[in-house]
Amino acid sequence: MLIKTLPVGMLETNCYVVTDEETHKCAIIDPGADSNTILDYIESNKLNTVAVFLTHGHYDHHMALDAVEESTGAPVYVHEGEVNRNGQNGRHKLEDTEKLRFYSEGDVINVGSLEFKVMETPGHSTGSVTLMCQDALFTGDTLFRGDCGRTDLEGGSDEIMMKSLKRLFELDGDYEVYPGHAQSSTLSYERSFNRYMKYAVNNMINEMKNDN
């Protein structure tokens, strides 16, 4: 598995191109802007894009989506909770179109020999997901290095974010963490040093003790 990180747009959203090196099939995760940068990488490496994955629907993660979809013809996957069906909040949510395919907890999408498994990790938004592939976690704006996503936008929730961080904390083993912004990390590092993740775990333990 080859992972290429392309920071795109004014907010430097991390767009990831994840390639099965045997088949040259790839997935594009969060084409946030700068479609030429993304498509030039695809073309220069002779890759076959078979899926576009969105970790959530905020505009800085899909501004290049139309150009990428038109050029590659690949299906676009997103959680249904990220779709705008009422004509509001169009700046932050995708419009409901026939181009979208919905994925949810436990779904597995194949890209060549690679398997991407969907974990629902809301808190930053209603339909935020984390994508698991081999030893990699693509966490969108749920988990950052030493931080977590903001919860003050529509669909955000401090309480739900804590539950999502606890879920990630409790995964077996270690993973490389590829967030929606800034540098990558590892799950073991976040377990040890991420104050939000540590608070999420300790707070849940305290709540369980109080309930007993």
Side-chain angles (χ1 to χ4, degrees), residues 149-160:
R150 59 189 295 184
T151 58
D152 59 337
L153 300 174
E154 179 166 351
S157 165
D158 288 337
E159 180 180 359
I160 295 174

Side-chain angles (χ1 to χ4, degrees), residues 58 121-128 141-142 148-165 204:
H58 289 166
T121 51
H124 177 65
S125 67
T126 304
S128 286
D141 287 3
T142 298
C148 69
R150 59 189 295 184
T151 58
D152 59 337
L153 300 174
E154 179 166 351
S157 165
D158 288 337
E159 180 180 359
I160 295 174
M161 175 64 83
M162 292 300 106
K163 291 179 180 179
S164 292
L165 293 177
M204 295 294 179

Side-chain angles (χ1 to χ4, degrees), residues 132-149:
M132 306 173 66
C133 186
Q134 296 184 359
D135 63 348
L137 293 176
F138 300 92
T139 57
D141 287 3
T142 298
L143 177 64
F144 299 130
R145 182 178 176 88
D147 205 345
C148 69

Side-chain angles (χ1 to χ4, degrees), residues 171-211:
L171 289 173
D172 291 334
D174 197 13
Y175 290 84
E176 297 290 325
V177 174
Y178 295 92
H181 301 272
Q183 68 190 100
S184 61
S185 184
T186 65
L187 194 54
S188 60
Y189 179 92
E190 300 310 312
R191 288 176 179 134
S192 297
F193 299 108
N194 188 309
R195 58 175 178 161
Y196 296 101
M197 181 171 271
K198 293 171 73 174
Y199 175 82
V201 173
N202 292 332
N203 192 49
M204 295 294 179
I205 291 174
N206 290 334
E207 286 183 2
M208 291 174 63
K209 289 179 178 179
N210 291 335
D211 288 342

